[in-house]
Structure formats: C-alpha cells, structure tokens
Amino acid sequence: MSISKEQLDHSLCGKSYVELKDLVQLIEDNFGYSVTLQRKKERHILTEEQKARITSFIFKDESVLSQLHQAMNDRGHGISTYSDSEEAFAQLLKHQND
C-alpha cells in the first residue's frame, strides 16, 4: 500500500509542520485502517518467573561464577572492583549461593 507525493501533499494541506493526528488521519483515510496509539513504556518490566530464569541462567555460567569468586577474593584483600556497596555485593553473593 502506498500513496503518491501529490496525495500526501493534498492530505496534509501544504502544512509546514505535520502533527501526529495528521498522520493518523492520513493512514485511516488512505489505507482503510483504524489507528490507535499508545505510549511506549519506558522499560520492560520482567515477571518474577522471567527474573528467576535469568538469574538461574547467569549463575550457571562458569565465567560469571569465576568473576564473582575473583571479586570476593579481591574484596577480602581490600580491592573493590565490583561495587562501592558492600551490601549490594553481599546480596549478589547470596544469590549465587542459593
């Protein structure tokens, strides 16, 4: 489905700025669709099941486990390479051990 430049110009009545409502009307009039717009969510929210599957997948990865063990050893020697938050690091290690 398409329209010509002339049809587009005619539909937009020579406007120098096109508003969203003009585009919706153009689609509805020229293509026979009913258009409903909905604002996109800023971020995708994971379900608890999705979070659990991702967490399980991550902690089965040997390279992730190796990095966590190295970070834990570094922390034990006073080197903070993972996070500035001892609490966040402890929580991550707790997840790894669950």
Side-chain angles (χ1 to χ4, degrees):
M1 301 180 127
S2 62
I3 61 172
S4 68
K5 183 174 180 340
E6 291 78 24
Q7 288 173 304
L8 178 64
D9 288 341
H10 176 72
S11 294
L12 299 177
C13 305
K15 294 181 177 184
S16 53
Y17 292 96
V18 179
E19 295 182 33
L20 186 56
K21 66 181 182 178
D22 298 325
L23 295 175
V24 168
Q25 192 65 49
L26 176 81
I27 292 168
E28 289 181 340
D29 291 347
N30 290 284
F31 298 110
Y33 286 94
S34 175
V35 179
T36 303
L37 300 174
Q38 181 177 342
R39 184 170 295 280
K40 289 170 60 173
K41 293 182 180 180
E42 293 299 317
R43 63 183 193 149
H44 179 73
I45 299 173
L46 299 174
T47 66
E48 291 304 314
E49 179 184 342
Q50 289 171 321
K51 289 177 187 178
R53 287 183 13 210
I54 290 169
T55 301
S56 174
F57 177 78
I58 290 171
F59 287 115
K60 288 180 182 174
D61 186 318
E62 289 299 321
S63 65
V64 170
L65 296 176
S66 174
Q67 290 175 40
L68 283 173
H69 288 298
Q70 184 61 49
M72 188 170 62
N73 289 337
D74 289 346
R75 278 281 169 117
H77 292 98
I79 303 169
S80 178
T81 57
Y82 168 73
S83 168
D84 291 333
S85 169
E86 292 290 333
E87 182 180 318
F89 184 71
Q91 187 175 7
L92 183 63
L93 292 176
K94 179 183 177 294
H95 273 290
Q96 186 244 333
N97 291 327
D98 289 344

